[in-house]
Amino acid sequence: MILGNIKNLYKDIFKSYDSPTLEKHIEKIVELDVYLPHSSTFFCITNTQELGFEYISKNMFSCLHIDPLKLKQEAMRYYWSRIHPEDVEYWLQALNALMEYTLDEISEDERHKMSYTWNYRFKNGRDEYVNIIQNTTPLEFDSFMKPIIGLAHYTVVDSRVKLGVTATAKYLNENDEYETKYFNNFSQKLLTNDITNRERDIIRLLVLNYSSKEIGIKLNISPNTVDTHRRNILKKLNITSTGELIGMLKMNKTLF
């Protein structure tokens, strides 16, 4: 996917309607960055209106071996050009899904409590791909309460760790704990073609909290056969428990 297409799609996702104030956030974060130790993480203030970075923390170079001045000057187009070509489409799908979920499901008053995480492979300054896990918290919203400026934290993980491109939206609840509201794996859909129609039927009933015995009655098969299907489903999807499967499916509206 060429950069021009990425730019157009990205701007569509983050289309906004006014210019918020950045100065107060930048001043505070610059002051904090002076005292933070070097680590395998860095952070930026991202501006989706200007397709740029308002601030890049000092750790960025030690994490990615990329000149921060070059990144600041060439902005997001340069950053996008270094995302692994196989991940670009999934990455855009993840951003769009998170934005749609926020606008459709989260009230305007609650959007400042959201936090978003996604990942992709990125070519560092040594021309080696690493995994980037990006977590972004909104700082400013446009007049339609669409998040457009964020504090983005980037964690660098060795490329030998195989990660699918996923997206997660979390909400800071009344107990000051983040709870997952949305999850999707874009590079490997859970209900792949390897899942048979009978297994899909069982998955749907599991999501509705039916037991193996109840599923057997509904499908006219024995509970032992249901349990065999359940074991096969977990093996095919590389998931360790039925609870994990149900939780991921319940949070994702697109899998059925």
Side-chain angles (χ1 to χ4, degrees):
M1 184 178 293
I2 62 175
L3 285 174
N5 289 339
I6 296 175
K7 179 179 178 181
N8 291 335
L9 289 169
Y10 191 91
K11 292 187 75 172
D12 283 342
I13 294 169
F14 290 101
K15 183 179 179 182
S16 54
Y17 302 92
D18 62 3
S19 298
T21 302
L22 292 171
E23 287 79 4
K24 62 178 181 179
H25 297 298
I26 295 175
E27 289 176 3
K28 292 178 182 178
I29 290 172
V30 170
E31 291 175 4
L32 176 64
D33 193 26
V34 172
Y35 298 98
L36 292 176
H38 287 281
S39 67
S40 61
T41 67
F42 65 98
F43 61 85
C44 301
I45 297 178
T46 59
N47 186 333
T48 58
Q49 286 186 309
E50 303 297 331
L51 302 182
F53 299 94
E54 297 294 335
Y55 182 72
I56 301 170
S57 74
K58 66 177 186 291
N59 277 351
M60 194 278 289
F61 180 79
S62 58
C63 289
L64 295 179
H65 306 286
I66 290 176
D67 184 355
L69 291 179
K70 182 177 180 64
L71 180 59
K72 188 80 180 292
Q73 292 169 355
E74 300 191 25
M76 288 189 180
R77 288 175 64 89
Y78 174 68
Y79 192 88
W80 298 336
S81 72
R82 304 188 75 86
I83 296 178
H84 196 293
E86 294 178 2
D87 291 352
V88 167
E89 183 176 354
Y90 299 129
W91 164 72
L92 285 169
Q93 289 176 10
L95 293 182
N96 190 59
L98 290 171
M99 183 62 74
E100 288 184 346
Y101 175 81
T102 298
L103 298 180
D104 292 343
E105 304 293 337
I106 306 300
S107 69
E108 293 183 1
D109 293 339
E110 301 296 321
R111 290 176 190 171
H112 68 284
K113 296 183 179 181
M114 297 300 294
S115 179
Y116 307 94
T117 304
W118 58 90
N119 64 283
Y120 44 85
R121 288 171 291 176
F122 185 88
K123 184 187 293 185
N124 65 20
R126 295 173 175 170
D127 289 334
E128 301 169 339
Y129 279 106
V130 295
N131 290 305
I132 296 286
I133 301 174
Q134 180 174 342
N135 175 266
T136 296
T137 302
L139 294 177
E140 293 284 355
F141 301 81
D142 68 9
S143 56
F144 287 76
M145 286 303 294
K146 189 174 187 178
I148 52 174
I149 292 175
L151 176 60
H153 293 263
Y154 306 79
T155 301
V156 180
V157 180
D158 192 285
S159 62
R160 288 172 292 184
V161 179
K162 301 302 180 183
L163 300 175
V165 178
T166 65
T168 306
K170 294 186 177 183
Y171 171 75
L172 187 64
N173 62 28
E174 58 186 11
N175 297 321
D176 286 335
E177 297 173 342
Y178 274 109
E179 57 182 270
T180 301
K181 293 291 188 179
Y182 173 90
F183 173 85
N184 197 353
N185 185 327
F186 289 86
S187 56
Q188 183 180 4
K189 291 295 185 182
L190 287 178
L191 300 189
T192 63
N193 292 333
D194 291 335
I195 301 298
T196 67
N197 289 334
R198 175 47 57 88
E199 289 168 343
R200 290 172 187 267
D201 291 336
I202 290 173
I203 289 172
R204 291 186 178 96
L205 292 172
L206 286 171
V207 171
L208 295 175
N209 295 321
Y210 286 104
S211 66
S212 291
K213 182 178 180 180
E214 292 168 330
I215 293 173
I217 293 172
K218 285 184 173 292
L219 299 181
N220 197 28
I221 57 178
S222 72
N224 288 336
T225 300
V226 174
D227 287 337
T228 298
H229 282 303
R230 291 176 64 164
R231 288 192 294 270
N232 290 338
I233 290 167
L234 297 181
K235 183 177 180 180
K236 289 180 180 180
L237 301 179
N238 194 28
I239 293 175
T240 58
S241 70
T242 302
E244 181 182 356
L245 170 63
I246 293 172
M248 295 172 74
L249 289 171
K250 282 185 174 181
M251 287 185 286
N252 192 316
K253 300 178 179 179
T254 66
L255 294 177
F256 290 114

